[in-house]
Amino acid sequence: MPATKIQNAATNAATKEKVVLAYSGGLDTSVMVKWLQLEKGLDVVAICGNVGQDAEDLAWVEKKALRMGAVHSEALDMREEYAKEVLTKAIKANGLYEDTYPLLSALSRPLIVKHLVEIAHKMGASYIAHGCTGKGNDQVRFETCIHALDPSIKVLAPVREWDLLTREQEMEWAQEHGVPVPTTAAKPYSIDDNLWGRAIECGVLENPWNEPPADIWTMTVDPISAPDQPEEIVVGFEKGVPCSLNGKKMELLPLIVQLNKVCGAHGYGRIDMIEDRVVGIKSHECYECPASLALINMHHALETLCLDHDTLQYKHMIDQQWSKVVYDGLWYSQLKEALDSFCASTQAFVTGEVKAKLYKGSLTVTGRKSAYSLYDLSLATYGDGDSFDRSASKGFIDLHSLPSKTWSGKQGPAHKQAVPAPAGKKQAKLGYAVLSA
Ligand code: ARG
Protein backbone atom coordinates (compact mmCIF):
# COMPACT_ATOMS: atom_id res chain seq x y z
CA MET A 1 0.00 0.00 0.00
CA PRO A 2 1.73 3.19 -1.12
CA ALA A 3 -0.36 5.56 0.97
CA THR A 4 1.68 7.72 3.29
CA LYS A 5 0.98 7.79 6.97
CA ILE A 6 -0.35 11.09 8.19
CA GLN A 7 2.37 12.98 9.99
CA ASN A 8 2.32 12.95 13.75
CA ALA A 9 -0.20 10.15 13.86
CA ALA A 10 1.24 8.52 16.92
CA THR A 11 0.57 4.93 17.81
CA ASN A 12 -0.45 6.13 21.22
CA ALA A 13 -4.25 6.00 21.11
CA ALA A 14 -4.62 9.08 23.29
CA THR A 15 -2.94 11.35 20.74
CA LYS A 16 -4.39 9.88 17.57
CA GLU A 17 -6.22 12.29 15.31
CA LYS A 18 -9.81 11.54 14.38
CA VAL A 19 -11.55 11.20 11.04
CA VAL A 20 -15.32 11.31 10.58
CA LEU A 21 -16.25 8.87 7.82
CA ALA A 22 -19.48 9.04 5.79
CA TYR A 23 -20.32 5.38 6.24
CA SER A 24 -22.91 3.39 4.28
CA GLY A 25 -22.16 -0.13 5.49
CA GLY A 26 -21.25 -1.26 1.95
CA LEU A 27 -17.94 -2.84 0.89
CA ASP A 28 -16.09 0.39 -0.04
CA THR A 29 -16.74 2.28 3.16
CA SER A 30 -16.30 -0.85 5.31
CA VAL A 31 -12.82 -1.39 3.87
CA MET A 32 -12.29 2.31 4.53
CA VAL A 33 -12.99 1.96 8.28
CA LYS A 34 -9.99 -0.39 8.53
CA TRP A 35 -7.85 1.35 5.90
CA LEU A 36 -8.06 4.74 7.61
CA GLN A 37 -6.83 3.16 10.85
CA LEU A 38 -4.04 1.13 9.27
CA GLU A 39 -2.82 3.38 6.51
CA LYS A 40 -3.51 6.83 7.98
CA GLY A 41 -3.18 6.03 11.66
CA LEU A 42 -6.49 7.71 12.47
CA ASP A 43 -9.29 6.96 14.89
CA VAL A 44 -12.44 6.44 12.85
CA VAL A 45 -15.87 7.85 13.69
CA ALA A 46 -18.33 6.17 11.30
CA ILE A 47 -21.52 8.09 10.59
CA CYS A 48 -24.38 6.75 8.51
CA GLY A 49 -27.04 9.26 7.45
CA ASN A 50 -30.57 7.95 7.15
CA VAL A 51 -32.19 10.01 4.39
CA GLY A 52 -34.85 7.41 3.64
CA GLN A 53 -32.74 4.93 1.68
CA ASP A 54 -33.97 1.40 1.38
CA ALA A 55 -31.04 0.21 3.48
CA GLU A 56 -30.62 -2.85 5.59
CA ASP A 57 -31.07 -2.39 9.29
CA LEU A 58 -29.10 0.73 10.19
CA ALA A 59 -28.47 -0.46 13.77
CA TRP A 60 -26.60 -3.35 12.17
CA VAL A 61 -24.59 -0.86 10.09
CA GLU A 62 -23.57 0.92 13.32
CA LYS A 63 -22.41 -2.35 14.91
CA LYS A 64 -20.49 -3.36 11.80
CA ALA A 65 -18.29 -0.24 11.98
CA LEU A 66 -17.62 -0.79 15.70
CA ARG A 67 -16.62 -4.41 15.04
CA MET A 68 -13.99 -3.14 12.62
CA GLY A 69 -12.48 -0.89 15.23
CA ALA A 70 -14.31 2.42 14.77
CA VAL A 71 -14.10 4.41 18.01
CA HIS A 72 -17.64 5.66 17.53
CA SER A 73 -20.46 4.81 15.13
CA GLU A 74 -23.90 6.26 14.68
CA ALA A 75 -26.80 6.03 12.26
CA LEU A 76 -28.47 9.43 12.30
CA ASP A 77 -32.09 9.78 11.27
CA MET A 78 -32.06 12.83 8.98
CA ARG A 79 -35.37 12.14 7.20
CA GLU A 80 -37.45 14.77 8.95
CA GLU A 81 -34.82 17.44 8.41
CA TYR A 82 -34.27 16.30 4.82
CA ALA A 83 -37.97 16.77 4.07
CA LYS A 84 -38.35 20.07 5.97
CA GLU A 85 -35.11 21.88 5.23
CA VAL A 86 -34.10 20.50 1.87
CA LEU A 87 -37.02 19.03 -0.09
CA THR A 88 -39.32 22.01 0.61
CA LYS A 89 -36.75 24.20 -1.18
CA ALA A 90 -36.49 21.72 -4.06
CA ILE A 91 -40.26 21.80 -4.52
CA LYS A 92 -40.48 25.62 -4.38
CA ALA A 93 -37.75 25.74 -7.06
CA ASN A 94 -39.29 22.90 -9.15
CA GLY A 95 -35.76 21.47 -8.95
CA LEU A 96 -35.03 19.45 -12.09
CA TYR A 97 -31.47 19.32 -13.45
CA GLU A 98 -31.43 19.55 -17.24
CA ASP A 99 -35.22 19.88 -16.94
CA THR A 100 -35.43 16.18 -16.07
CA TYR A 101 -33.60 14.87 -12.97
CA PRO A 102 -35.08 15.73 -9.53
CA LEU A 103 -31.58 15.94 -7.98
CA LEU A 104 -32.02 13.25 -5.36
CA SER A 105 -28.30 12.60 -4.80
CA ALA A 106 -27.37 16.27 -5.04
CA LEU A 107 -29.96 17.15 -2.38
CA SER A 108 -28.95 14.59 0.23
CA ARG A 109 -25.20 15.29 0.27
CA PRO A 110 -25.28 18.83 1.73
CA LEU A 111 -27.39 17.66 4.68
CA ILE A 112 -25.16 14.65 5.34
CA VAL A 113 -22.12 16.95 5.19
CA LYS A 114 -23.72 19.40 7.63
CA HIS A 115 -24.00 16.57 10.17
CA LEU A 116 -20.49 15.25 9.48
CA VAL A 117 -19.06 18.72 10.13
CA GLU A 118 -21.08 19.09 13.34
CA ILE A 119 -19.84 15.72 14.56
CA ALA A 120 -16.26 16.57 13.57
CA HIS A 121 -16.54 19.69 15.75
CA LYS A 122 -18.13 17.80 18.63
CA MET A 123 -15.55 15.03 18.56
CA GLY A 124 -12.56 17.21 17.76
CA ALA A 125 -11.88 15.49 14.42
CA SER A 126 -9.69 17.29 11.93
CA TYR A 127 -10.57 15.02 8.97
CA ILE A 128 -13.69 14.00 7.08
CA ALA A 129 -13.53 11.03 4.70
CA HIS A 130 -16.00 9.91 2.04
CA GLY A 131 -16.31 6.89 -0.23
CA CYS A 132 -17.00 8.65 -3.54
CA THR A 133 -15.17 7.73 -6.72
CA GLY A 134 -12.92 10.18 -8.52
CA LYS A 135 -15.18 10.47 -11.59
CA GLY A 136 -18.51 11.44 -10.14
CA ASN A 137 -20.47 14.41 -8.87
CA ASP A 138 -20.72 13.30 -5.28
CA GLN A 139 -17.02 13.88 -4.49
CA VAL A 140 -17.49 17.45 -5.75
CA ARG A 141 -20.58 17.94 -3.60
CA PHE A 142 -19.11 16.41 -0.44
CA GLU A 143 -15.90 18.38 -0.61
CA THR A 144 -17.38 21.69 -1.78
CA CYS A 145 -19.91 21.56 1.06
CA ILE A 146 -17.21 20.66 3.63
CA HIS A 147 -14.99 23.54 2.46
CA ALA A 148 -17.95 25.94 2.63
CA LEU A 149 -18.95 24.92 6.16
CA ASP A 150 -15.47 24.66 7.66
CA PRO A 151 -12.46 25.36 5.46
CA SER A 152 -10.12 24.11 8.18
CA ILE A 153 -11.35 20.52 7.94
CA LYS A 154 -9.13 18.29 5.81
CA VAL A 155 -10.76 15.89 3.36
CA LEU A 156 -9.73 12.31 2.68
CA ALA A 157 -11.04 10.50 -0.40
CA PRO A 158 -9.51 7.00 -0.07
CA VAL A 159 -11.02 5.69 -3.35
CA ARG A 160 -9.04 8.35 -5.24
CA GLU A 161 -5.91 7.36 -3.36
CA TRP A 162 -5.74 3.63 -2.69
CA ASP A 163 -4.64 1.02 -5.20
CA LEU A 164 -7.64 -1.27 -4.75
CA LEU A 165 -8.73 -0.84 -8.32
CA THR A 166 -11.11 -3.78 -8.75
CA ARG A 167 -13.76 -5.27 -6.56
CA GLU A 168 -11.67 -8.44 -6.39
CA GLN A 169 -8.68 -6.52 -5.02
CA GLU A 170 -10.95 -4.85 -2.49
CA MET A 171 -12.45 -8.19 -1.43
CA GLU A 172 -8.96 -9.66 -1.06
CA TRP A 173 -7.78 -6.70 1.06
CA ALA A 174 -10.96 -6.98 3.14
CA GLN A 175 -10.41 -10.69 3.78
CA GLU A 176 -6.79 -10.14 4.76
CA HIS A 177 -7.75 -7.41 7.21
CA GLY A 178 -10.81 -8.94 8.83
CA VAL A 179 -13.41 -6.79 7.06
CA PRO A 180 -16.58 -8.83 6.44
CA VAL A 181 -17.00 -9.39 2.71
CA PRO A 182 -20.41 -9.55 1.03
CA THR A 183 -21.59 -13.11 0.56
CA THR A 184 -23.92 -12.26 -2.32
CA ALA A 185 -22.72 -11.63 -5.88
CA ALA A 186 -21.77 -8.05 -6.71
CA LYS A 187 -24.79 -6.01 -7.76
CA PRO A 188 -24.43 -5.13 -11.43
CA TYR A 189 -25.51 -1.50 -10.87
CA SER A 190 -24.47 1.44 -8.77
CA ILE A 191 -27.46 2.58 -6.73
CA ASP A 192 -28.14 5.64 -4.62
CA ASP A 193 -31.53 6.15 -3.07
CA ASN A 194 -33.42 8.26 -0.58
CA LEU A 195 -36.86 9.78 -0.01
CA TRP A 196 -36.63 11.78 -3.26
CA GLY A 197 -36.06 8.71 -5.47
CA ARG A 198 -33.56 6.16 -6.65
CA ALA A 199 -30.60 6.48 -9.04
CA ILE A 200 -29.34 3.51 -11.05
CA GLU A 201 -26.21 3.53 -13.21
CA CYS A 202 -23.39 1.32 -14.58
CA GLY A 203 -23.54 -2.25 -15.93
CA VAL A 204 -25.42 -2.63 -19.22
CA LEU A 205 -26.66 0.96 -18.82
CA GLU A 206 -23.20 2.16 -19.84
CA ASN A 207 -24.34 1.65 -23.43
CA PRO A 208 -26.89 4.42 -23.99
CA TRP A 209 -28.59 2.36 -26.73
CA ASN A 210 -29.50 -0.34 -24.20
CA GLU A 211 -33.03 -0.19 -22.93
CA PRO A 212 -32.95 -0.39 -19.11
CA PRO A 213 -33.48 -4.03 -18.11
CA ALA A 214 -36.63 -4.72 -16.08
CA ASP A 215 -34.59 -5.69 -12.99
CA ILE A 216 -33.28 -2.17 -12.36
CA TRP A 217 -36.68 -0.90 -11.22
CA THR A 218 -37.80 -1.45 -7.64
CA MET A 219 -39.99 1.55 -6.72
CA THR A 220 -42.18 1.48 -9.82
CA VAL A 221 -44.13 -1.36 -11.44
CA ASP A 222 -43.88 -1.89 -15.18
CA PRO A 223 -46.54 0.46 -16.61
CA ILE A 224 -47.88 -2.45 -18.71
CA SER A 225 -48.84 -4.33 -15.57
CA ALA A 226 -50.08 -1.24 -13.69
CA PRO A 227 -53.80 -1.19 -12.78
CA ASP A 228 -56.24 -0.81 -15.67
CA GLN A 229 -58.20 1.76 -13.67
CA PRO A 230 -56.75 5.26 -13.24
CA GLU A 231 -56.41 6.63 -9.69
CA GLU A 232 -57.03 10.24 -8.75
CA ILE A 233 -54.82 12.00 -6.22
CA VAL A 234 -55.30 15.46 -4.70
CA VAL A 235 -52.36 17.31 -3.16
CA GLY A 236 -52.83 20.46 -1.07
CA PHE A 237 -50.11 23.12 -0.95
CA GLU A 238 -49.50 25.89 1.58
CA LYS A 239 -47.12 28.62 0.39
CA GLY A 240 -45.61 26.19 -2.11
CA VAL A 241 -45.18 23.31 0.35
CA PRO A 242 -47.30 20.13 0.11
CA CYS A 243 -49.49 19.84 3.22
CA SER A 244 -52.26 17.35 2.44
CA LEU A 245 -52.97 14.24 0.41
CA ASN A 246 -56.50 13.40 -0.70
CA GLY A 247 -57.92 15.93 1.74
CA LYS A 248 -55.99 14.62 4.75
CA LYS A 249 -53.50 17.01 6.40
CA MET A 250 -50.05 15.45 6.38
CA GLU A 251 -46.48 16.36 7.24
CA LEU A 252 -44.20 16.37 4.23
CA LEU A 253 -42.21 13.26 5.24
CA PRO A 254 -45.13 10.79 5.47
CA LEU A 255 -46.75 12.46 2.46
CA ILE A 256 -43.67 11.72 0.34
CA VAL A 257 -43.43 8.15 1.65
CA GLN A 258 -47.09 7.51 0.77
CA LEU A 259 -46.91 9.22 -2.61
CA ASN A 260 -43.90 7.11 -3.58
CA LYS A 261 -46.06 4.02 -3.01
CA VAL A 262 -49.21 5.32 -4.70
CA CYS A 263 -47.46 6.68 -7.80
CA GLY A 264 -45.01 3.76 -7.99
CA ALA A 265 -47.93 1.32 -8.06
CA HIS A 266 -49.09 3.01 -11.29
CA GLY A 267 -45.62 2.80 -12.84
CA TYR A 268 -45.14 6.56 -12.65
CA GLY A 269 -41.74 8.18 -12.12
CA ARG A 270 -39.25 6.38 -14.40
CA ILE A 271 -36.54 8.46 -16.06
CA ASP A 272 -33.93 7.36 -18.62
CA MET A 273 -31.58 10.19 -19.56
CA ILE A 274 -28.17 11.25 -20.73
CA GLU A 275 -26.84 13.58 -18.06
CA ASP A 276 -23.89 15.99 -17.96
CA ARG A 277 -21.74 15.51 -14.86
CA VAL A 278 -19.88 18.38 -13.21
CA VAL A 279 -16.54 16.79 -14.13
CA GLY A 280 -17.37 16.98 -17.83
CA ILE A 281 -18.50 13.41 -18.47
CA LYS A 282 -21.79 12.49 -20.13
CA SER A 283 -23.42 9.52 -18.44
CA HIS A 284 -26.48 7.34 -18.97
CA GLU A 285 -28.62 7.53 -15.86
CA CYS A 286 -31.88 5.94 -14.87
CA TYR A 287 -34.03 7.14 -12.00
CA GLU A 288 -37.27 6.23 -10.28
CA CYS A 289 -38.83 9.31 -8.77
CA PRO A 290 -42.56 8.73 -8.19
CA ALA A 291 -43.21 11.23 -5.39
CA SER A 292 -40.69 13.87 -6.42
CA LEU A 293 -41.87 14.10 -10.03
CA ALA A 294 -45.51 14.09 -8.94
CA LEU A 295 -44.98 16.88 -6.41
CA ILE A 296 -42.91 19.03 -8.74
CA ASN A 297 -45.42 18.71 -11.60
CA MET A 298 -48.38 19.39 -9.34
CA HIS A 299 -46.63 22.30 -7.61
CA HIS A 300 -45.84 23.86 -10.95
CA ALA A 301 -49.47 23.40 -12.03
CA LEU A 302 -50.52 25.46 -8.99
CA GLU A 303 -47.93 28.11 -9.80
CA THR A 304 -49.47 28.52 -13.27
CA LEU A 305 -52.69 29.51 -11.49
CA CYS A 306 -51.21 31.72 -8.75
CA LEU A 307 -48.24 33.48 -10.38
CA ASP A 308 -48.52 36.12 -13.08
CA HIS A 309 -47.08 35.59 -16.54
CA ASP A 310 -43.88 37.62 -16.06
CA THR A 311 -43.05 35.98 -12.72
CA LEU A 312 -43.69 32.50 -14.11
CA GLN A 313 -41.46 33.12 -17.08
CA TYR A 314 -38.67 34.65 -15.00
CA LYS A 315 -38.96 31.97 -12.31
CA HIS A 316 -38.45 29.24 -14.88
CA MET A 317 -34.93 30.61 -15.45
CA ILE A 318 -34.35 30.87 -11.69
CA ASP A 319 -35.57 27.27 -11.24
CA GLN A 320 -33.12 26.05 -13.88
CA GLN A 321 -30.26 28.01 -12.32
CA TRP A 322 -31.17 26.73 -8.84
CA SER A 323 -31.08 23.18 -10.17
CA LYS A 324 -27.67 23.66 -11.76
CA VAL A 325 -26.17 25.29 -8.68
CA VAL A 326 -27.47 22.46 -6.48
CA TYR A 327 -26.34 19.79 -8.94
CA ASP A 328 -22.88 21.35 -8.94
CA GLY A 329 -22.58 20.98 -5.17
CA LEU A 330 -22.98 24.67 -4.35
CA TRP A 331 -25.78 24.22 -1.79
CA TYR A 332 -23.87 26.37 0.70
CA SER A 333 -23.20 29.37 -1.53
CA GLN A 334 -24.23 32.98 -1.88
CA LEU A 335 -26.01 32.40 -5.18
CA LYS A 336 -27.97 29.42 -3.87
CA GLU A 337 -29.18 31.47 -0.87
CA ALA A 338 -30.22 34.32 -3.14
CA LEU A 339 -32.08 31.97 -5.49
CA ASP A 340 -33.84 30.40 -2.48
CA SER A 341 -34.98 33.86 -1.38
CA PHE A 342 -36.39 34.61 -4.82
CA CYS A 343 -38.27 31.31 -4.89
CA ALA A 344 -39.57 31.77 -1.34
CA SER A 345 -40.89 35.26 -2.12
CA THR A 346 -42.84 33.93 -5.11
CA GLN A 347 -44.57 31.28 -2.99
CA ALA A 348 -46.56 33.59 -0.67
CA PHE A 349 -49.80 32.82 -2.53
CA VAL A 350 -49.01 29.37 -3.95
CA THR A 351 -51.66 27.86 -1.72
CA GLY A 352 -54.41 25.58 -2.97
CA GLU A 353 -55.09 22.12 -4.32
CA VAL A 354 -54.11 20.21 -7.43
CA LYS A 355 -55.64 16.97 -8.63
CA ALA A 356 -54.12 14.49 -11.03
CA LYS A 357 -54.80 11.09 -12.53
CA LEU A 358 -52.27 8.27 -12.42
CA TYR A 359 -52.60 5.77 -15.21
CA LYS A 360 -50.11 3.24 -16.60
CA GLY A 361 -46.93 5.22 -16.11
CA SER A 362 -48.39 8.69 -16.54
CA LEU A 363 -49.58 11.48 -14.28
CA THR A 364 -51.96 14.01 -15.80
CA VAL A 365 -53.00 17.12 -13.93
CA THR A 366 -56.80 17.25 -14.12
CA GLY A 367 -57.59 20.27 -11.94
CA ARG A 368 -56.25 23.07 -9.80
CA LYS A 369 -57.84 25.59 -7.41
CA SER A 370 -56.70 28.33 -5.06
CA ALA A 371 -58.21 31.13 -3.01
CA TYR A 372 -55.49 33.30 -4.58
CA SER A 373 -56.03 32.15 -8.15
CA LEU A 374 -55.27 34.79 -10.77
CA TYR A 375 -57.60 33.00 -13.17
CA ASP A 376 -60.56 35.34 -13.60
CA LEU A 377 -63.58 33.68 -15.14
CA SER A 378 -65.23 36.99 -16.00
CA LEU A 379 -62.16 37.84 -18.09
CA ALA A 380 -61.67 34.37 -19.61
CA THR A 381 -65.25 33.38 -20.39
CA TYR A 382 -66.73 33.23 -23.86
CA GLY A 383 -70.12 32.84 -22.21
CA ASP A 384 -72.31 35.10 -20.06
CA GLY A 385 -70.85 37.51 -17.53
CA ASP A 386 -67.97 38.64 -19.69
CA SER A 387 -66.27 41.72 -18.20
CA PHE A 388 -63.44 41.99 -20.72
CA ASP A 389 -63.55 45.24 -22.72
CA ARG A 390 -63.14 44.01 -26.31
CA SER A 391 -63.21 47.56 -27.64
CA ALA A 392 -59.81 48.13 -25.99
CA SER A 393 -58.25 45.31 -28.02
CA LYS A 394 -57.99 47.21 -31.29
CA GLY A 395 -55.90 50.04 -29.81
CA PHE A 396 -53.81 47.52 -27.91
CA ILE A 397 -53.06 45.54 -31.07
CA ASP A 398 -52.23 48.72 -33.03
CA LEU A 399 -49.51 49.64 -30.51
CA HIS A 400 -48.40 46.02 -29.88
CA SER A 401 -47.78 45.50 -33.61
CA LEU A 402 -46.20 48.92 -34.23
CA PRO A 403 -42.55 47.68 -34.07
CA SER A 404 -43.32 44.75 -36.41
CA LYS A 405 -45.08 47.08 -38.86
CA THR A 406 -42.17 49.55 -38.84
CA TRP A 407 -39.61 46.77 -39.34
CA SER A 408 -41.61 45.14 -42.12
CA GLY A 409 -41.81 48.33 -44.18
CA LYS A 410 -38.10 49.21 -43.79
CA GLN A 411 -36.37 45.82 -43.83
CA GLY A 412 -38.86 42.94 -43.70
CA PRO A 413 -41.50 41.34 -45.94
CA ALA A 414 -43.29 44.59 -46.94
CA HIS A 415 -39.98 46.25 -47.91
CA LYS A 416 -38.74 43.20 -49.86
CA GLN A 417 -41.98 42.90 -51.79
CA ALA A 418 -41.66 46.52 -52.78
CA VAL A 419 -38.16 46.00 -54.28
CA PRO A 420 -38.43 44.41 -57.77
CA ALA A 421 -36.20 41.40 -58.44
CA PRO A 422 -33.30 42.23 -60.83
CA ALA A 423 -33.85 40.88 -64.37
CA GLY A 424 -32.89 37.23 -64.77
CA LYS A 425 -32.95 36.56 -61.00
CA LYS A 426 -35.58 34.22 -59.65
CA GLN A 427 -38.00 35.31 -56.98
CA ALA A 428 -37.29 33.51 -53.73
CA LYS A 429 -39.98 31.74 -51.74
CA LEU A 430 -42.78 33.95 -50.33
CA GLY A 431 -42.11 36.38 -53.18
CA TYR A 432 -39.07 37.96 -51.45
CA ALA A 433 -36.72 39.52 -53.98
CA VAL A 434 -33.26 37.94 -54.09
CA LEU A 435 -31.13 41.04 -53.65
CA SER A 436 -27.78 40.78 -55.37
CA ALA A 437 -24.93 42.65 -53.77
N1 ARG B 1 -26.07 11.20 -11.44
C1 ARG B 1 -26.74 11.47 -10.24
C2 ARG B 1 -26.12 12.66 -9.55
O1 ARG B 1 -25.00 12.92 -9.76
C3 ARG B 1 -26.85 10.29 -9.33
C4 ARG B 1 -25.58 9.72 -8.84
C5 ARG B 1 -25.90 8.67 -7.84
N2 ARG B 1 -24.90 7.76 -7.55
C6 ARG B 1 -24.97 6.43 -7.80
N3 ARG B 1 -24.16 5.68 -7.18
N4 ARG B 1 -25.83 5.92 -8.63
O2 ARG B 1 -26.72 13.34 -8.78
Side-chain angles (χ1 to χ4, degrees), residues 131-277:
C132 308
T133 75
K135 292 177 73 167
N137 293 320
D138 288 328
Q139 54 171 349
V140 179
R141 297 170 184 150
F142 260 109
E143 296 180 33
T144 304
C145 290
I146 294 168
H147 295 326
L149 292 179
D150 183 350
S152 74
I153 290 180
K154 290 166 273 187
V155 177
L156 293 171
V159 178
R160 290 204 303 250
E161 199 183 322
W162 66 26
D163 56 0
L164 306 173
L165 299 179
T166 63
R167 187 175 159 90
E168 288 66 40
Q169 286 173 355
E170 238 181 278
M171 298 265 273
E172 203 179 307
W173 194 96
Q175 253 149 359
E176 278 167 20
H177 296 87
V179 176
V181 293
T183 46
T184 48
K187 297 191 187 90
Y189 310 108
S190 163
I191 311 279
D192 184 41
D193 66 336
N194 61 60
L195 283 176
W196 216 225
R198 187 164 166 272
I200 312 112
E201 52 181 333
C202 302
V204 295
L205 299 174
E206 285 188 351
N207 179 345
W209 184 250
N210 284 346
E211 185 181 342
D215 70 348
I216 73 163
W217 311 111
T218 63
M219 294 177 81
T220 52
V221 303
D222 186 332
I224 287 182
S225 35
D228 291 327
Q229 290 307 313
E231 181 173 350
E232 187 182 81
I233 52 170
V234 181
V235 175
F237 292 85
E238 174 90 43
K239 293 188 169 50
V241 177
C243 61
S244 69
L245 181 57
N246 299 332
K248 195 174 145 222
K249 282 252 158 247
M250 274 178 107
E251 291 293 322
L252 186 55
L253 172 58
L255 192 151
I256 292 170
V257 171
Q258 190 167 337
L259 212 48
N260 269 329
K261 289 195 193 119
V262 174
C263 296
H266 285 274
Y268 175 69
R270 295 184 175 185
I271 299 167
D272 173 345
M273 72 184 286
I274 299 298
E275 173 181 312
D276 290 280
R277 288 193 202 152

Side-chain angles (χ1 to χ4, degrees), residues 287-307:
Y287 299 102
E288 311 186 81
C289 302
S292 50
L293 283 185
L295 289 175
I296 290 169
N297 282 328
M298 294 173 86
H299 170 258
H300 184 249
L302 189 59
E303 285 188 325
T304 63
L305 195 68
C306 299
L307 299 183

